[in-house]
Amino acid sequence: MHRRDFLLSSIGLAAAGAAGLARAADPPGLRILVLGGTRFIGPHIAEYARARGHTLTFFNRGRTNPGVLPEVERIQGDRNGELGGLAGRRWDAVIDNSGYVPRLVRLSAELLRPNVPHYLFVSSVSVYAGFARPNDEDSPVGRLADESVEKVDGETFGPLKALSENAVRAVYGPAGTTVIRPGLIVGPGDNTDRFTYWPARAARGGEFAAPGGASDPVQVIDARDLSAFIVRAVEQRTMGTFNLLSPPGRFTIGEVVTESVSAAVRIADPSPPPRATWIPAEFLAQQKIAPWSDMPVWVPATGDEAAFAQTSAARALQAGLSIRPLSETVADTLSWHLGRPVTERQALKAGLPPEREVALLEAWRGRAAAG
Ligand SMILES: NC(=O)c1ccc[n+]([C@@H]2O[C@H](COP(=O)([O-])OP(=O)(O)OC[C@H]3O[C@@H](n4cnc5c(N)ncnc54)[C@H](OP(=O)(O)O)[C@@H]3O)[C@@H](O)[C@H]2O)c1
């Protein structure tokens, strides 16, 4: 599966972690509308914001995790034309987590503009036209031949996000717009199972396949670090466009795997203990093992994606982004994962299914034995 297809996959959520770094807001008591709010990042944003004294309202259809954070006010509606519940209400800011189609993003921006002075739009690093060279916020974004397309798929996701950003900018202008472009969002509650695959796999124990070289760089953003940045951007009215992910070179796939093994031993104590076998990128390609989907989080630094893990985070760091240690993200993700219903734990939506992993390890041993 292509990386961009994978950005679209989604399902349920369990309890989000507490906003451990939260402290009293200054000034306290903002009213914040969240378009969405109940899948993955919404509950983290809400918990962090509430711990800082803010009041949240979720606007959604009431389908996704309807029971999460019941104490948060709900307005039921649909971005696709059923926005009536928002009319005439006032908030200090809106956080748009669920915008994918520029026409619909424009609808909500135009409706809210008279009563809500700040629009924060959650976009994606998938907006960038390519990853052959390192991107920063001024790099060119992908474009669609037909900008009226509304079908969101692996090809259109990034360019539609870029057009959606522009829809907000057109309505709110630079004095009222914040655009957040996260990389891979990870941590407790992740509905995509990508990062979760590694601690979950280590917790099953035994030999497992690890991709490429341990020093291959990766970039992620813990949903709680993302949430803290977003809420503080609302408090401080930080406008502009920000990539949100760990800085290039901070984390490697080796660290993800090593931390997963140590968290698994500490928290799940599987028998036999987990042990990674590193398999080079070329052999994985021969065996049709795909980066990112079969081997989540990891993309080899070659060809068109040579700079996939080199996206600049400098602007967000300058604006106060804090990145927690990977060990903490891994351990918290594993603890959350182990508390999920067994059906979710046994049917991860990312990573190598057990039978393919067995075949891969056998093929690798066979090749190694053949010299
Ligand atoms: N996961 C990643 O690695 C990653 C990376 C980069 C960027 N992003 C971006 O981060 C955001 C992820 O957000 P999330 O899903 O975790 O956010 P969330 O705010 O936790 O949940 C999404 C919400 O949108 C609501 N929603 C969906 N369709 C709707 C509609 N037509 N009208 C009204 N509400 C609707 C859902 O509720 P109902 O279904 O009940 O309506 C749900 O509450 C997305 O914008 C995504 O593109 C994600």
Side-chain angles (χ1 to χ4, degrees), residues 197-199 201-211 256-258 260-261 273-279 295 352 357 360-361:
Y197 171 77
W198 292 110
R201 176 62 195 91
R204 270 179 38 223
E207 182 186 18
F208 66 98
V256 172
V257 167
T258 307
S260 293
V261 166
R275 179 171 60 86
T277 293
W278 290 90
I279 303 185
M295 289 288 169
L352 270 187
E357 185 187 58
L360 170 65
L361 288 168

Side-chain angles (χ1 to χ4, degrees), residues 7 36-43 59-64 77-79 97-98 100 122-124 157 161 182-185 194:
L7 282 169
T38 55
R39 192 187 281 151
F40 174 27
I41 68 171
F59 173 85
N60 57 52
R61 297 166 302 179
R63 294 184 197 167
T64 304
D78 190 325
R79 303 195 60 145
N97 286 348
S98 54
Y100 299 92
V122 177
S123 182
S124 168
F157 173 79
K161 279 284 198 189
L184 182 67
I185 307 172
R194 292 172 288 194

Side-chain angles (χ1 to χ4, degrees), residues 226-256:
L226 172 74
S227 298
F229 187 90
I230 286 174
V231 172
R232 284 163 189 258
V234 166
E235 289 171 356
Q236 292 159 15
R237 292 186 54 77
T238 308
M239 305 300 161
T241 301
F242 298 89
N243 294 333
L244 256 283
L245 69 187
S246 53
R250 175 75 63 96
F251 300 140
T252 62
I253 190 67
E255 199 177 349
V256 172

Side-chain angles (χ1 to χ4, degrees), residues 6-10 13 34-45 58-66 77-80 83 96-100 104 121-126 157 161 180-186 190-192 194 221 226 292:
F6 230 58
L7 282 169
L8 304 172
S9 59
S10 61
L13 164 129
V34 178
L35 300 181
T38 55
R39 192 187 281 151
F40 174 27
I41 68 171
H44 286 296
I45 292 170
F58 289 163
F59 173 85
N60 57 52
R61 297 166 302 179
R63 294 184 197 167
T64 304
N65 301 312
D78 190 325
R79 303 195 60 145
N80 196 0
L83 297 172
D96 184 348
N97 286 348
S98 54
Y100 299 92
L104 302 184
F121 180 71
V122 177
S123 182
S124 168
V125 293
S126 293
F157 173 79
K161 279 284 198 189
I180 301 292
R181 294 174 175 166
L184 182 67
I185 307 172
V186 304
D190 180 4
N191 54 301
T192 72
R194 292 172 288 194
I221 179 76
L226 172 74
W292 195 255

Side-chain angles (χ1 to χ4, degrees), residues 85-110:
L86 299 174
R89 289 280 307 267
R90 291 186 175 276
W91 287 274
D92 295 301
V94 52
I95 298 172
D96 184 348
N97 286 348
S98 54
Y100 299 92
V101 174
R103 179 179 61 84
L104 302 184
V105 172
R106 190 171 191 119
L107 272 184
S108 56
E110 283 174 342

